[in-house]
């Protein structure tokens, strides 16, 4: 006997759903039975993820949206509500991961990293939580980064933004637990996505991705589906007693 993820239909929003981790999360939530709104800066990649879901028998729409643009967030959430129903699952995954030495980081670059990684997450929560309150149920998963836990050479702005996402997560969990809304964070480490390959190609990962396998306890590189599986668990009905947590999905690279 299988236990379904939800006792009633659910609508999920996944930001950055056109690529890498967000694409895997979108596909997984759809496979579990949610109708998924795939949000991405790149409308074409969002459309491709949505088409893959529909081809597999699921329900999805694509929404072109810059998470740093509050007007676009408002419009995208309203479109989701009109086309799929009230969103009660929110995965804040869109992110940018620049590598820049601390003394060379401009105010513009700092502001852009914060606008996408932190303010985008903050504002999506502000826009979607009222839908969750109305339904008396909600699941938010914020994709942070292991760099928030360990620091990351050449990524002070990025790791600061991702650490702030963990603080935001814990505070929201305290404020909205009584409304049936759980809020958790997943800080991934070393997941094989286009972003990780860009870092490797830019020489940011030493001699490359595979060089890090011997120092990873599970002896492999993480895959987007590893994050999707953890995320799917946190979104289920029966994860209702799990909130304010930071669930590392990192092959044991960061423990504790
Ligand atoms: P990815 O393959 O580059 O995917 C990120 C997606 O987010 C892309 O589709 C990107 O669109 C989109 N995006 C970027 N800026 C956006 C914006 N302003 N508005 C809407 N969408 C935007 O990266 P990923 O590795 O899957 O990363 C996903 C998340 O995991 C990020 O938050 C990242 O920080 C986090 N993370 C990843 C790893 C890892 O090892 N891969 C480790 C720690 C944390 P474009 O392609 O058009 O730019």
């Amino acid at each position: 006997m299988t236990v379904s993820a939800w006792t009633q239909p659910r609508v999920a929003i996944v930001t950055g759903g056109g690529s890498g981790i967000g694409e895997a999360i979108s596909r997984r939530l759809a496979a579990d039975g949610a109708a998924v709104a795939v949000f991405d800066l790149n409308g074409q990649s969002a459309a491709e993820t949505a088409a893959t879901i529909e081809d597999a028998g699921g329900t999805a729409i694509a929404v072109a949206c810059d998470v740093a643009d509050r007007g676009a967030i408002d419009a995208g959430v309203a479109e989701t509500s009109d086309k799929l129903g009230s969103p009660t699952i929110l995965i804040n995954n869109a992110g940018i991961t620049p590598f820049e030495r601390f003394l060379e980081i401009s105010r513009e670059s700092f502001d852009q990293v914060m606008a996408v990684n932190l303010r985008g997450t903050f504002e999506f929560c502000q826009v979607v939580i009222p839908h969750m309150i109305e339904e008396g149920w909600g699941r938010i998963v914020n994709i942070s980064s292991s760099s928030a836990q360990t620091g990351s050479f050449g990524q002070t702005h990025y790791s600061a933004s991702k650490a702030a996402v963990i603080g935001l997560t814990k505070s929201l969990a305290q404020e909205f637990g009584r409304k049936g809304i759980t809020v958790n964070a997943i800080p991934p480490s070393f997941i094989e996505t286009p972003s990780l390959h860009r870092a490797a190609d830019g020489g940011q990962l030493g001699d490359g991705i595979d060089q890090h396998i011997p120092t990873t306890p599970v002896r492999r590189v993480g895959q987007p589906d590893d994050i999707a599986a953890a995320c799917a668990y946190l979104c289920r009905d029966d994860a209702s007693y799990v909130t304010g947590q930071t669930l590392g999905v990192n092959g044991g690279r960061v423990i504790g």
Side-chain angles (χ1 to χ4, degrees), residues 33-170:
V36 179
V38 183
F39 281 56
D40 204 286
L41 186 60
N42 181 336
Q44 182 58 37
S45 67
E48 285 166 14
T49 301
T52 304
I53 289 170
E54 294 259 318
D55 289 349
T59 302
I61 60 168
V63 180
C65 172
D66 179 352
V67 303
D69 176 347
R70 176 60 183 258
I73 296 172
D74 287 333
V77 173
E79 182 184 343
T80 302
S81 195
D82 286 348
K83 291 184 175 168
L84 298 179
S86 203
T88 54
I89 297 173
L90 171 64
I91 316 299
N92 285 301
N93 162 80
I96 52 174
T97 59
F99 283 84
E100 295 173 292
R101 293 295 179 91
F102 178 66
L103 295 178
E104 291 158 14
I105 295 174
S106 65
R107 174 174 278 193
E108 289 70 28
S109 178
F110 177 88
D111 286 348
Q112 181 62 12
V113 168
M114 292 298 163
V116 175
N117 296 358
L118 177 59
R119 197 184 69 212
T121 298
F122 183 94
E123 293 198 321
F124 257 98
C125 291
Q126 274 193 330
V127 176
V128 176
I129 283 175
H131 289 274
M132 299 176 172
I133 292 173
E134 205 174 307
E135 300 293 322
W137 188 96
R139 297 283 184 269
I140 299 174
V141 180
N142 296 323
I143 304 301
S144 173
S145 167
S146 64
S147 67
Q149 301 165 301
T150 62
S152 176
F153 188 97
Q155 290 195 295
T156 46
H157 45 0
Y158 173 73
S159 51
S161 73
K162 292 295 191 176
V165 163
I166 293 176
L168 168 67
T169 300
K170 291 179 178 179

Side-chain angles (χ1 to χ4, degrees), residues 146 149-150 187 189 215-218 246-256:
S146 64
Q149 301 165 301
T150 62
S189 177
T215 56
T216 301
V218 304
T246 303
L247 175 58
V249 181
N250 55 41
R253 293 170 58 83
V254 182
I255 295 179

